[in-house]
Amino acid sequence: MRGMIHVYTGNGKGKTTAAFGLATRSAGHGKRVLFAQFLKGGRGESGEILAGRASTLKMKVIRFAEIHPRFDPTVDREELARKVQADFEEVRQEILKDDYDLVVLDEVDNCVSQDLLPIERLLALLEEKPERLELVLTGRGADPRVIERADYVTEMKKIKHPAETEGTPARKGIEF
Ligand code: ATP
Ligand code: MG
């Protein structure tokens, strides 16, 4: 059966956790899952990494430690783009081995919208991926060409967020 392409985008909370929920559901059925996270530097270990390590499911979690420009506006963007593109290439090679049933590229849409990864690189991967691979992309500001190509597209829309209404800092186990 043809593997489909999913997109979780928008400015509301729930993109990464929805993708992780889907990944866990698939792995629960014995599917081989790769959950790759981009731009997750400077935040301590994510619950996703810890859950992956503790799990006996066939779920591999990779977390690239480059820092999102939103959290470090002074970062050298050319250097960052080179690193992000190397991270992307590493995951691409994993995908092309055809060892997985479902792959999540968490925050990859941010890599594109932040001009760290050329959209052509992502679109090319959508075409060359193994036919039966289910592929999930997350991140704010998904490109219209990615949305056009995807089968499922969900926008998380922020109505309220305590970081804005109360200045609540990111909480362990909730935000990361
Ligand atoms: P989650 O990982 O909880 O599913 P997400 O993937 O949809 O959320 P991102 O846009 O990747 O959210 O943001 C990462 C984290 O930053 C989220 O946990 C989110 O709650 C938090 N966040 C979202 N909006 C803001 C904001 N305006 N200020 C600070 N933190 C925010
Ligand atoms: Mg996220």
Side-chain angles (χ1 to χ4, degrees):
M1 212 170 59
R2 178 174 78 91
M4 298 211 191
I5 297 172
H6 306 237
V7 171
Y8 294 113
T9 191
N11 65 354
K13 175 172 166 64
K15 301 173 290 292
T16 296
T17 46
F20 196 70
L22 187 60
T24 308
R25 172 184 280 171
S26 281
H29 282 287
K31 307 275 189 198
R32 297 158 305 169
V33 172
L34 174 64
F35 192 90
Q37 305 192 283
F38 296 94
L39 296 175
K40 293 284 182 172
R43 290 177 142 204
E45 285 184 302
S46 64
E48 299 88 288
I49 277 281
L50 298 171
R53 206 177 284 158
S55 176
T56 55
L57 299 171
K58 290 181 202 145
M59 181 159 63
K60 178 173 172 183
V61 184
I62 301 177
R63 180 172 181 271
F64 294 111
E66 272 58 68
I67 292 184
H68 194 298
R70 183 160 52 130
F71 299 113
D72 180 10
T74 67
V75 73
D76 177 340
R77 293 189 73 106
E78 271 184 32
E79 172 73 11
L80 179 63
R82 267 196 298 278
K83 287 185 182 159
V84 166
Q85 288 171 36
D87 297 342
F88 182 81
E89 183 57 22
E90 186 179 323
V91 176
R92 175 176 168 269
Q93 293 300 334
E94 276 288 297
I95 288 175
L96 297 181
K97 282 187 205 160
D98 199 8
D99 284 343
Y100 298 99
D101 302 300
L102 183 141
V103 172
V104 178
L105 302 180
D106 186 34
E107 314 299 353
V108 75
D109 292 317
N110 268 310
C111 298
V112 172
S113 64
Q114 293 284 328
D115 292 324
L116 300 170
L117 177 72
I119 178 72
E120 290 74 22
R121 298 272 298 270
L122 180 57
L123 293 173
L125 180 63
L126 301 187
E127 296 316 313
E128 69 185 346
K129 77 167 186 66
E131 170 82 13
R132 44 167 208 82
L133 177 72
E134 202 86 13
L135 188 59
V136 184
L137 315 174
T138 90
R140 298 173 182 215
D143 189 280
R145 286 165 285 179
V146 170
I147 289 175
E148 169 71 25
R149 178 67 182 75
D151 300 282
Y152 298 77
V153 179
T154 303
E155 181 179 13
M156 274 65 178
K157 181 177 184 296
K158 183 188 67 192
I159 305 289
K160 241 182 166 184
H161 194 296
E164 289 178 6
T165 52
E166 299 172 24
T168 309
R171 292 179 302 150
K172 188 196 288 186
I174 305 294
E175 265 80 37
F176 62 92

